[in-house]
Amino acid sequence: MAQQRRIQLCTQRPTSTVCVLGTELSLDIQGSAPKDAIAFHVQGTPGVKVYVVHETQSVKLPSSVTRWPLAAGTEVLLTMEAISKDVGDEKVRISYFGEASGVPVGRAMLYLTCVEVSLDADTGRSGSVSRTLVDKTTWTWGPDGHGAILLVNCDRDDPKSRLMGDSGEPQSQPTDNRDTIVCSYEDLKDMSQMVLRTRGPRTIFTGHGLVLHVGFSDADKVGVFYGGNSIAPEEYKHVLGGEKLAYAVKPSQHQEESIFYVEGLAFPDAGFSGLVAFHVTLLESPEKGLLETPIFTDTVVFRVAPWIMTPNTLAPLEVFVCSVEDNEDFVAAVSMLAEEAKCPVTICPLPENRNDRWIQDEVEFGYVQAPHKMFPVVFDSPRDRGLKDFPVRSILGPDFGYVAQETPENTSSLDSFGNLEVSPPVMVCSKEYPLGRILIGSSFPRFGGRRMAKSVRNFLAAQRVQAPVELFSDWLQVGHVDEFLSFIPAPDRKGFRLLLASPSACYQLLREKQEMGYGEATMFQGLHGVPKPSINEILGNEALRKFNAYTQSCISWNRDILKRELGLAEQDIIDIPQLFQADNQARAMAYFPDMVNMLVLGRHLGIPKPFGPLVDGQCCLEERVRALLQPLGLSCTFINDYFSYHKLDGEVHCGTNVRRKPFAFKWWRMVP
């Protein structure tokens, strides 16, 4: 339904008003009628379409009926379809008649000027702004959806910007969305365009106010910049956002379009759906000393693009690893694997990591995407140990964004991002998750245990496109989901396999070797100062067996959740032999290097070397894993991380991180 405005008429003097293209004017014929009038006649010039609504029927004029009864339900509507060339160049006249009178008892004259006032954005998601017939005030998902998209401008395009404060410490969030300046053309490219079109006699716009405005609740979520006729980035002014709720627009005498640039300041979160509405209102100036009154408002709605995680199955673009005091061989092995996968390696040196090797726990790589732009964004965990400054110092930059969530000081190990994974795309009971589902570890189903910070969980859920699943990980000493699961690419079925650590599979393998006569084969050959239990000793250790029966029950609980929430069948899951041992709080630690905690670079896998019992000169654990994974076309490289990572309660995956290629699927085409 077209926007409609009521117009008061007067028989004493002519009335002048503006009709905005695409709207209706409803004439108050009753209020201006002379006392004795019982009928009226209405006539308009050719540029005006006039309709009389009488007894619910709409009649376009002229018609065979010349006079209409001045009844309570009778209404006159006007529309205009062409922009006026001059002020008041179209007219409508109302003639009032008394009973049995051929002479009008009064006349009301209305002078009309048609203008266009339109606020537009890329509602068609084509990458450019165009006029549209869709409802700009709504935002819809799906392949046939519509609505404009806004990026959080969380990168840093100004290479001259000082990232360090006066104390020498990094600024908390020195990103482009934390300032109110445009530093470069690249900064503008991160923003979405919003175009205000004003057509019609220019004197109309000098006599009427035109205001761009945003609601109070949305103002801290966006920033709007305007350069007028300037093309120099430094001359763009911050006109909306923060404490600025409205901006008076002065249309150019020679230009019908005013281009505004809009940036997001905040991601969707608890209390913020991600939707932001902008309005432009045309104001009419009344008698001197009175406030202006609104006569037309146009609205366009944006959605702030979500932060999206990337699963192991997407192609690697860059591998990150820390160089610390005792991991030279590990860094070399990871670098060699990356070279085989034709993937560049970034080594974080000791002065930057401050002897913190757990780069997986510190950050998670993802990206943001709009039709006009896409760039990677690093999510900084609340962990904040030696690598605390690394994301800001070394990752944040032009077209590489940064986001973090404020959390209470009493964070736990579960707030580290080894406890944050995402599945490949899945279908669950006819419900499609084309960007996969986020997996986080929790104390569920036990009460009173450790959980990931509420602010982080709320943030992840608010993105909407990768609906999170909580798993039970508090049974582990460190408590991270990457200690018992991983995803690898596969050429068949769903395109991937879920790997689960399995004490049951390990005991089965060891019993097989015992029955084959290898019961005296020992673990950890080649490692100095490490006890070397035999297969017989492991199988005869009743306390170890009972504890692993417990850990298997915890993993089986998660297995059922994963099958249900990811729509998996048993054929989609591979059990990787693994044993756990109890710490002094009865939480689980890997008994030997945890093989599911692997680095996945396409078909190249970097797996913690388990140092299992040697059977015919081969590690039987490595041999079993190769037999499980190589038929999928995967290459298994076993990396020795025993002293540099495993003994410190982590493995290959914990000590590395990967930036991956974004999904080909566009998030706005899904139905959450």
PDB file of all heavy atoms in Angstrom, residues 34 45 51 84 121 151 183 272 307 427 520 536 556 604 639:
ATOM      1  N   PRO A  34     -18.532  24.189   2.373  1.00  0.00           N
ATOM      2  CA  PRO A  34     -19.425  25.224   2.902  1.00  0.00           C
ATOM      3  C   PRO A  34     -20.604  24.591   3.647  1.00  0.00           C
ATOM      4  O   PRO A  34     -20.957  23.423   3.433  1.00  0.00           O
ATOM      5  CB  PRO A  34     -19.900  25.964   1.650  1.00  0.00           C
ATOM      6  CG  PRO A  34     -18.851  25.681   0.621  1.00  0.00           C
ATOM      7  CD  PRO A  34     -18.368  24.300   0.913  1.00  0.00           C
ATOM      8  N   THR A  45      -5.728  18.720 -13.404  1.00  0.00           N
ATOM      9  CA  THR A  45      -4.975  18.886 -14.648  1.00  0.00           C
ATOM     10  C   THR A  45      -4.399  17.547 -15.075  1.00  0.00           C
ATOM     11  O   THR A  45      -4.364  16.585 -14.292  1.00  0.00           O
ATOM     12  CB  THR A  45      -3.883  19.944 -14.463  1.00  0.00           C
ATOM     13  OG1 THR A  45      -3.105  19.600 -13.305  1.00  0.00           O
ATOM     14  CG2 THR A  45      -4.474  21.331 -14.264  1.00  0.00           C
ATOM     15  N   TYR A  51      -9.027   9.985  -8.006  1.00  0.00           N
ATOM     16  CA  TYR A  51      -9.940   8.877  -7.752  1.00  0.00           C
ATOM     17  C   TYR A  51     -10.948   9.309  -6.692  1.00  0.00           C
ATOM     18  O   TYR A  51     -10.590   9.975  -5.703  1.00  0.00           O
ATOM     19  CB  TYR A  51      -9.192   7.637  -7.236  1.00  0.00           C
ATOM     20  CG  TYR A  51      -8.143   7.111  -8.178  1.00  0.00           C
ATOM     21  CD1 TYR A  51      -6.866   7.667  -8.191  1.00  0.00           C
ATOM     22  CD2 TYR A  51      -8.420   6.066  -9.046  1.00  0.00           C
ATOM     23  CE1 TYR A  51      -5.887   7.191  -9.053  1.00  0.00           C
ATOM     24  CE2 TYR A  51      -7.456   5.580  -9.916  1.00  0.00           C
ATOM     25  CZ  TYR A  51      -6.189   6.149  -9.912  1.00  0.00           C
ATOM     26  OH  TYR A  51      -5.237   5.674 -10.771  1.00  0.00           O
ATOM     27  N   SER A  84       7.485  17.191 -11.323  1.00  0.00           N
ATOM     28  CA  SER A  84       7.118  18.526 -11.780  1.00  0.00           C
ATOM     29  C   SER A  84       8.339  19.276 -12.321  1.00  0.00           C
ATOM     30  O   SER A  84       9.463  19.112 -11.818  1.00  0.00           O
ATOM     31  CB  SER A  84       6.513  19.329 -10.626  1.00  0.00           C
ATOM     32  OG  SER A  84       5.268  18.801 -10.241  1.00  0.00           O
ATOM     33  N   ALA A 121      19.481   1.499  -1.172  1.00  0.00           N
ATOM     34  CA  ALA A 121      20.708   0.756  -0.889  1.00  0.00           C
ATOM     35  C   ALA A 121      20.692  -0.486  -1.765  1.00  0.00           C
ATOM     36  O   ALA A 121      19.780  -0.678  -2.580  1.00  0.00           O
ATOM     37  CB  ALA A 121      20.786   0.397   0.595  1.00  0.00           C
ATOM     38  N   LEU A 151      28.804  -4.282   6.461  1.00  0.00           N
ATOM     39  CA  LEU A 151      29.962  -4.916   7.098  1.00  0.00           C
ATOM     40  C   LEU A 151      30.367  -4.134   8.344  1.00  0.00           C
ATOM     41  O   LEU A 151      30.340  -2.901   8.340  1.00  0.00           O
ATOM     42  CB  LEU A 151      31.152  -4.970   6.147  1.00  0.00           C
ATOM     43  CG  LEU A 151      31.039  -5.851   4.905  1.00  0.00           C
ATOM     44  CD1 LEU A 151      32.300  -5.708   4.056  1.00  0.00           C
ATOM     45  CD2 LEU A 151      30.822  -7.303   5.286  1.00  0.00           C
ATOM     46  N   CYS A 183      39.917   7.330   6.312  1.00  0.00           N
ATOM     47  CA  CYS A 183      41.364   7.496   6.158  1.00  0.00           C
ATOM     48  C   CYS A 183      41.832   7.269   4.727  1.00  0.00           C
ATOM     49  O   CYS A 183      42.927   7.699   4.365  1.00  0.00           O
ATOM     50  CB  CYS A 183      42.102   6.553   7.108  1.00  0.00           C
ATOM     51  SG  CYS A 183      41.841   4.802   6.768  1.00  0.00           S
ATOM     52  N   PHE A 272      20.984  -7.295  20.162  1.00  0.00           N
ATOM     53  CA  PHE A 272      21.099  -6.629  18.863  1.00  0.00           C
ATOM     54  C   PHE A 272      20.935  -7.664  17.763  1.00  0.00           C
ATOM     55  O   PHE A 272      21.803  -8.510  17.558  1.00  0.00           O
ATOM     56  CB  PHE A 272      22.448  -5.920  18.741  1.00  0.00           C
ATOM     57  CG  PHE A 272      22.703  -5.307  17.382  1.00  0.00           C
ATOM     58  CD1 PHE A 272      21.722  -4.584  16.733  1.00  0.00           C
ATOM     59  CD2 PHE A 272      23.934  -5.467  16.749  1.00  0.00           C
ATOM     60  CE1 PHE A 272      21.950  -4.028  15.479  1.00  0.00           C
ATOM     61  CE2 PHE A 272      24.180  -4.909  15.505  1.00  0.00           C
ATOM     62  CZ  PHE A 272      23.183  -4.193  14.870  1.00  0.00           C
ATOM     63  N   TRP A 307      29.843 -12.735  11.587  1.00  0.00           N
ATOM     64  CA  TRP A 307      31.178 -13.336  11.549  1.00  0.00           C
ATOM     65  C   TRP A 307      31.000 -14.833  11.305  1.00  0.00           C
ATOM     66  O   TRP A 307      30.202 -15.493  11.976  1.00  0.00           O
ATOM     67  CB  TRP A 307      31.908 -13.102  12.867  1.00  0.00           C
ATOM     68  CG  TRP A 307      33.271 -13.722  12.915  1.00  0.00           C
ATOM     69  CD1 TRP A 307      34.409 -13.254  12.326  1.00  0.00           C
ATOM     70  CD2 TRP A 307      33.638 -14.939  13.576  1.00  0.00           C
ATOM     71  NE1 TRP A 307      35.462 -14.100  12.583  1.00  0.00           N
ATOM     72  CE2 TRP A 307      35.022 -15.141  13.347  1.00  0.00           C
ATOM     73  CE3 TRP A 307      32.942 -15.872  14.333  1.00  0.00           C
ATOM     74  CZ2 TRP A 307      35.716 -16.237  13.861  1.00  0.00           C
ATOM     75  CZ3 TRP A 307      33.623 -16.972  14.844  1.00  0.00           C
ATOM     76  CH2 TRP A 307      34.992 -17.140  14.604  1.00  0.00           C
ATOM     77  N   MET A 427      23.049 -31.430   6.590  1.00  0.00           N
ATOM     78  CA  MET A 427      21.593 -31.423   6.463  1.00  0.00           C
ATOM     79  C   MET A 427      21.042 -32.235   7.626  1.00  0.00           C
ATOM     80  O   MET A 427      21.450 -33.389   7.827  1.00  0.00           O
ATOM     81  CB  MET A 427      21.155 -32.037   5.140  1.00  0.00           C
ATOM     82  CG  MET A 427      19.660 -32.132   4.965  1.00  0.00           C
ATOM     83  SD  MET A 427      18.907 -30.617   4.371  1.00  0.00           S
ATOM     84  CE  MET A 427      19.400 -30.653   2.645  1.00  0.00           C
ATOM     85  N   GLU A 520      54.460 -58.160  24.343  1.00  0.00           N
ATOM     86  CA  GLU A 520      55.618 -57.515  24.986  1.00  0.00           C
ATOM     87  C   GLU A 520      56.089 -56.270  24.241  1.00  0.00           C
ATOM     88  O   GLU A 520      57.030 -55.596  24.680  1.00  0.00           O
ATOM     89  CB  GLU A 520      56.770 -58.515  25.091  1.00  0.00           C
ATOM     90  CG  GLU A 520      56.483 -59.692  26.014  1.00  0.00           C
ATOM     91  CD  GLU A 520      56.123 -59.240  27.422  1.00  0.00           C
ATOM     92  OE1 GLU A 520      56.786 -58.305  27.928  1.00  0.00           O
ATOM     93  OE2 GLU A 520      55.177 -59.797  27.998  1.00  0.00           O
ATOM     94  N   ASN A 536      50.871 -55.833  27.072  1.00  0.00           N
ATOM     95  CA  ASN A 536      50.349 -56.648  28.177  1.00  0.00           C
ATOM     96  C   ASN A 536      50.110 -55.801  29.419  1.00  0.00           C
ATOM     97  O   ASN A 536      49.094 -55.967  30.113  1.00  0.00           O
ATOM     98  CB  ASN A 536      51.326 -57.771  28.515  1.00  0.00           C
ATOM     99  CG  ASN A 536      51.352 -58.834  27.424  1.00  0.00           C
ATOM    100  OD1 ASN A 536      50.393 -58.977  26.653  1.00  0.00           O
ATOM    101  ND2 ASN A 536      52.449 -59.587  27.345  1.00  0.00           N
ATOM    102  N   SER A 556      30.987 -41.205  23.829  1.00  0.00           N
ATOM    103  CA  SER A 556      29.777 -41.784  23.237  1.00  0.00           C
ATOM    104  C   SER A 556      28.579 -40.856  23.423  1.00  0.00           C
ATOM    105  O   SER A 556      27.713 -40.752  22.543  1.00  0.00           O
ATOM    106  CB  SER A 556      29.486 -43.151  23.857  1.00  0.00           C
ATOM    107  OG  SER A 556      30.526 -44.070  23.531  1.00  0.00           O
ATOM    108  N   HIS A 604      46.358 -33.205   3.060  1.00  0.00           N
ATOM    109  CA  HIS A 604      47.569 -33.429   3.864  1.00  0.00           C
ATOM    110  C   HIS A 604      47.248 -33.273   5.341  1.00  0.00           C
ATOM    111  O   HIS A 604      46.794 -32.214   5.779  1.00  0.00           O
ATOM    112  CB  HIS A 604      48.665 -32.452   3.450  1.00  0.00           C
ATOM    113  CG  HIS A 604      49.081 -32.577   2.020  1.00  0.00           C
ATOM    114  ND1 HIS A 604      50.041 -33.476   1.596  1.00  0.00           N
ATOM    115  CD2 HIS A 604      48.637 -31.929   0.904  1.00  0.00           C
ATOM    116  CE1 HIS A 604      50.194 -33.372   0.289  1.00  0.00           C
ATOM    117  NE2 HIS A 604      49.346 -32.442  -0.159  1.00  0.00           N
ATOM    118  N   ILE A 639      53.824 -36.153  13.162  1.00  0.00           N
ATOM    119  CA  ILE A 639      54.747 -35.127  13.641  1.00  0.00           C
ATOM    120  C   ILE A 639      55.053 -35.375  15.113  1.00  0.00           C
ATOM    121  O   ILE A 639      54.146 -35.539  15.938  1.00  0.00           O
ATOM    122  CB  ILE A 639      54.129 -33.728  13.457  1.00  0.00           C
ATOM    123  CG1 ILE A 639      53.926 -33.444  11.960  1.00  0.00           C
ATOM    124  CG2 ILE A 639      54.997 -32.653  14.097  1.00  0.00           C
ATOM    125  CD1 ILE A 639      53.209 -32.126  11.682  1.00  0.00           C
TER     126      ILE A 639
END
